[in-house]
DNA sequence: GCCAACGTTGGC
DNA sequence: GCCAACGTTGGC
């Protein structure tokens, strides 16, 4: 089992929308590092759902419902997408400020590379953030 | 709305 | 292959 964090602007595609749809295609990634992370996702892997720009917080857990395949929104180039399904909203959103302030989360790519939209999370980091969100799976 | 950080492009 | 210019992302 691997863990991930994916970013989305909530006014473009928020967690509520994923819940409403039941399953969502994670497409539109046009960054090689992020794409390679998408390709490494396995069915059943868990992802934090982070709201960028508005909210600036991890708000929920989602699960990989379908492994990578060619992104149908890409007109050219070698891009991939996956499908995600909602698992559980956080009882309490964990803000970027809290993550930046936590001594055990300094290695998180969310802190170190603000522009990466799909990133791996270690199992320790995953449980730390889940606990901060007062959430159990 | 501004700007820092980062990635990509293209001239040389 | 280097690097300046440019575009985009995302926090503030």
């Amino acid at each position: 089992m691997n863990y991930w964090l994916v970013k989305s602007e909530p006014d473009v595609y928020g967690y509520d929308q994923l819940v409403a749809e039941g399953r969502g295609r994670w497409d539109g990634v046009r960054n090689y590092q992020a794409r390679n992370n998408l390709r490494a996702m396995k069915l059943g892997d868990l992802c934090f759902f982070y709201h960028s720009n508005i909210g600036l917080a991890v708000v929920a857990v989602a699960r990989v419902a379908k492994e990578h395949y060619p992104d149908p929104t890409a007109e050219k180039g070698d891009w991939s997408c996956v499908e995600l399904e909602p698992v559980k909203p956080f009882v309490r959103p964990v803000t970027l400020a809290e993550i930046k302030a936590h001594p055990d989360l300094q290695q998180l790519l969310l802190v170190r590379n603000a522009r990466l939209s799909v990133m791996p999370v270690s199992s320790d980091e995953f449980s730390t953030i889940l606990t901060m969100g007062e959430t159990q799976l």
Side-chain angles (χ1 to χ4, degrees), chain A residues 18-53:
Chain A
L18 183 65
V19 170
E21 293 179 2
R23 179 193 268 231
R25 192 174 67 211
W26 211 263
D27 59 24
V29 170
R30 299 291 183 271
N31 169 285
Y32 292 112
Q33 201 180 345
R35 181 202 68 184
N36 292 341
N37 288 332
L38 284 179
R39 290 181 178 179
M41 287 183 178
K42 297 296 180 192
L43 192 66
D45 280 357
L46 295 176
C47 305
F48 284 139
F49 198 111
Y50 176 81
H51 281 174
S52 62
N53 285 322

Side-chain angles (χ1 to χ4, degrees), chain A residues 1-6 40-49 60-65 84-88 90 118-123 126-127 130 136-137:
Chain A
M1 166 79 72
N2 290 308
Y3 302 97
W4 309 93
L5 183 148
V6 296
M41 287 183 178
K42 297 296 180 192
L43 192 66
D45 280 357
L46 295 176
C47 305
F48 284 139
F49 198 111
V61 179
R63 179 191 295 121
V64 177
L84 298 180
E85 59 189 5
V87 173
K88 209 173 202 183
F90 273 25
V118 181
M119 66 189 73
V121 175
S122 75
S123 60
F126 191 87
S127 57
L130 204 60
Q136 291 181 316
L137 293 180

Side-chain angles (χ1 to χ4, degrees), chain A residues 1 5 8 13 17-18 24 28 49 57 61 72 82 90 99 105 115 128 133:
Chain A
M1 166 79 72
L5 183 148
S8 185
Y13 193 94
Q17 195 170 343
L18 183 65
F49 198 111
V61 179
V82 298
F90 273 25
I99 288 170
L105 298 175
R115 295 188 48 190
T128 298

Side-chain angles (χ1 to χ4, degrees), chain A residues 69-87:
Chain A
Y69 56 98
D71 183 347
T73 71
E75 298 194 348
K76 55 176 293 189
D78 181 22
W79 301 108
S80 296
C81 62
V82 298
E83 290 180 9
L84 298 180
E85 59 189 5
V87 173

